[in-house]
């Protein structure tokens, strides 16, 4: 009997995926080759393709000005804005975050420069080491997903184990290291505001180590010749606590709000922030981790995003987490069970991005 991945035509997805990965071309290499149709491994299933139209309504994710974050008179105002955005949308953009525009531009340019090196130079960094170190590849869930998506990425784990900076590609080494510092400051400021939105002490999340595990990802979405048949990034939620994203001005990111996909309009100088699964559970559902995706890029100009994921870290994988006791009461009982870090990590790394997430697994 033929394997489940082998069709009558002789197509074997497992073989084709390995062939693509072994080539070390990435989708950038495919795009550069001048192909006019995408390989079958990238064609999304009908349930994805049928949803590719974004909302036609004028909805936009909230935009929050951080300039007043340290104002004694207006801090409560920004706390409420972030609380509301995190509860209703799970996504928002921040402006006046303290990072100079030139730094944003230089960081984007460095990631673009890495991805636009000749294929034989890029391929020297091609590897698969998802949970540590430095890697460059196409699709982190390539071997686990139902279909591949149209993007490549370079990934650097900044902590908990300090990265060997010499392993970071020289084209973006300095910028990645510096971006980690900038993004971490923004994340810590936002964590304080998120704490206060829950009635907690401002330093509670930092005390619990919610930014101790940090990974920077520089994603590259090149031109796709058949954007109606695939996606740049599969619909998913982020597993960690908080995500800070720096995009260039090429659109593509969409957020699921209620039952609609809403396009995120890039704002020059803004950062996009979203709540992760871990924070939804810890907040007992007060903050929402929502699905988002990236459309396949129909433009000749590539879409670039520099994303830093922030999450908790403890040496003991058996450390137990769940809704914070301070947020529970007879009127607001826990809606999630406790879980270990080991269960959390295994849930994420065992399946594709679009698969069942930890929030659904631990819901009571």
């Amino acid at each position: 009997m033929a394997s489940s991945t082998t069709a009558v035509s002789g197509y074997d997805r497992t073989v084709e995926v390995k062939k693509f990965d072994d080539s070390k071309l990435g989708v950038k290499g495919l795009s550069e080759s001048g192909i006019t149709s995408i390989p079958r491994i990238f064609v999304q299933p009908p349930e994805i393709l049928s949803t590719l139209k974004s909302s036609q309504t004028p909805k936009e994710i909230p935009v929050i000005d951080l300039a007043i974050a340290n104002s004694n008179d207006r801090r409560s105002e920004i706390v409420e804005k972030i609380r509301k955005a995190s509860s209703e949308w799970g996504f928002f953009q921040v402006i006046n975050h303290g990072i100079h525009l030139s730094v944003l531009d230089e960081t984007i340019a460095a990631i673009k420069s890495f991805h636009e090196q000749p294929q034989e130079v890029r391929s020297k960094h091609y590897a698969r080491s998802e949970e540590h170190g430095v890697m460059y590849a196409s699709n982190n869930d390539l071997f686990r997903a139902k279909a591949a998506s149209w993007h490549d990425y370079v990934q650097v784990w900044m902590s908990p184990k300090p990265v060997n900076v010499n392993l970071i590609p020289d084209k973006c080494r300095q910028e990645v290291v510096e971006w980690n510092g900038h993004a971490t400051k923004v994340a810590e400021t936002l964590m304080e505001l998120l704490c206060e939105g829950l009635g907690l002490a401002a330093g509670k999340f930092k005390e619990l180590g919610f930014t101790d595990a940090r990974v920077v990802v520089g994603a590259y979405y090149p031109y796709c010749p058949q954007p109606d048949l695939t996606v740049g990034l599969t619909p998913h939620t982020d597993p960690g606590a908080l995500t800070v994203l720096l995009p260039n001005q090429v659109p593509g990111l969409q957020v699921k709000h209620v039952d609609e996909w809403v396009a995120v309009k890039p704002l020059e100088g803004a950062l996009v922030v979203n709540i992760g699964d871990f924070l939804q559970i810890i907040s007992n559902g007060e903050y929402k981790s929502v699905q988002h995706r990236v459309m396949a890029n129909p433009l000749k100009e590539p879409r670039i995003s520099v994303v830093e994921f922030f999450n908790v870290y403890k040496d003991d994988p058996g450390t137990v987490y769940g809704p914070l006791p301070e947020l529970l009461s007879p009127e607001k009982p826990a809606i999630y069970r406790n879980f270990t870090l080991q269960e959390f990590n295994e849930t994420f790394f065992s399946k594709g991005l679009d698969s069942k997430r930890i929030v659904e697994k631990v819901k009571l």
Side-chain angles (χ1 to χ4, degrees):
M1 182 178 291
S3 74
S4 60
T5 58
T6 305
V8 176
S9 64
Y11 170 73
D12 188 320
R13 176 173 171 74
T14 302
V15 171
E16 293 302 314
V17 165
K18 187 175 188 305
K19 182 179 177 182
F20 168 69
D21 198 50
D22 288 346
S23 75
K24 302 182 180 181
L25 281 172
V27 294
K28 177 67 164 66
L30 293 178
S31 184
E32 286 174 329
S33 72
I35 60 170
T36 56
S37 60
I38 63 175
R40 189 166 170 178
I41 63 171
F42 292 94
V43 177
Q44 296 294 313
E47 61 267 25
I48 298 293
L49 296 180
S50 64
T51 69
L52 290 188
K53 280 193 174 181
S54 63
S55 169
Q56 299 302 308
T57 67
K59 288 182 180 178
E60 294 185 21
I61 68 171
V63 178
I64 298 172
D65 189 344
L66 289 184
I68 61 173
N70 295 317
S71 167
N72 291 331
D73 296 334
R74 302 185 65 187
R75 187 172 177 88
S76 60
E77 177 186 332
I78 195 169
V79 166
E80 175 56 20
K81 285 183 178 180
I82 287 179
R83 184 206 64 76
K84 186 175 181 182
S86 301
S87 299
E88 296 179 0
W89 281 85
F91 262 81
F92 51 92
Q93 296 198 67
V94 293
I95 58 174
N96 293 319
H97 40 66
I99 307 175
H100 199 277
L101 185 60
S102 63
V103 173
L104 306 183
D105 291 342
E106 289 163 6
T107 305
I108 288 288
I111 295 299
K112 183 179 182 184
S113 179
F114 166 77
H115 284 284
E116 294 188 346
Q117 295 177 102
Q119 191 273 331
E120 60 270 20
V121 177
R122 296 195 308 269
S123 65
K124 293 177 182 178
H125 299 282
Y126 201 94
R128 291 204 176 271
S129 53
E130 290 181 60
E131 300 181 59
H132 59 83
V134 180
M135 67 174 284
Y136 156 64
S138 184
N139 290 247
N140 80 318
D141 63 344
L142 182 65
F143 289 91
R144 304 190 300 270
K146 296 176 184 176
S149 52
W150 202 257
H151 77 279
D152 300 328
Y153 69 104
V154 59
Q155 173 178 288
V156 182
W157 277 94
M158 305 305 298
S159 69
K161 182 180 179 181
V163 65
N164 177 350
V165 295
N166 292 321
L167 296 179
I168 304 174
D170 56 5
K171 280 286 186 180
C172 57
R173 181 179 301 150
Q174 179 180 339
E175 290 81 3
V176 165
V177 171
E178 291 179 356
W179 183 251
N180 174 58
H182 292 301
T184 299
K185 287 181 181 179
V186 172
E188 289 177 345
T189 296
L190 292 170
M191 288 282 196
E192 290 182 355
L193 296 165
L194 287 162
C195 279
E196 292 179 41
L198 295 172
L200 302 171
K204 182 68 175 180
F205 288 168
K206 186 173 183 178
E207 173 190 326
L208 293 172
F210 286 9
T211 58
D212 286 355
R214 302 190 300 278
V215 57
V216 175
V217 174
Y220 187 95
Y221 302 86
Y223 166 73
C224 178
Q226 291 181 301
D228 56 330
L229 293 182
T230 190
V231 291
L233 190 60
T234 309
H236 67 287
T237 59
D238 292 348
L242 195 71
T243 302
V244 176
L245 181 151
L246 165 64
N248 67 351
Q249 296 301 295
V250 176
L253 177 62
Q254 296 184 348
V255 174
K256 190 75 172 287
H257 182 62
V258 190
D259 294 321
E260 299 176 306
W261 285 103
V262 178
V264 177
K265 296 179 181 178
L267 297 178
E268 187 175 17
L271 301 176
V272 180
V273 178
N274 65 281
I275 303 298
D277 294 345
F278 184 84
L279 195 52
Q280 176 169 330
I281 297 169
I282 291 299
S283 70
N284 201 38
E286 291 296 321
Y287 295 147
K288 302 295 191 296
S289 173
V290 301
Q291 278 200 322
H292 49 287
R293 67 186 184 187
V294 177
M295 303 296 278
N297 184 10
L299 307 174
K300 295 298 183 180
E301 178 67 20
R303 180 178 185 271
I304 312 289
S305 66
V306 186
V307 193
E308 184 143 13
F309 299 96
F310 296 88
N311 201 12
V312 71
Y313 174 78
K314 294 292 180 185
D315 288 327
D316 180 6
T319 302
V320 175
Y321 289 93
L324 292 177
E326 302 97 307
L327 304 179
L328 305 180
S329 68
E331 295 76 30
K332 289 187 176 182
I335 60 175
Y336 303 106
R337 66 168 172 83
N338 290 344
F339 60 93
T340 64
L341 280 183
Q342 181 175 349
E343 180 182 10
F344 178 89
N345 290 327
E346 287 177 352
T347 299
F348 176 69
F349 287 109
S350 64
K351 299 179 180 179
L353 283 179
D354 60 343
S355 299
K356 186 175 181 180
R357 59 190 179 132
I358 188 72
V359 168
E360 295 163 342
K361 187 175 181 182
V362 304
K363 192 174 177 98
L364 293 172

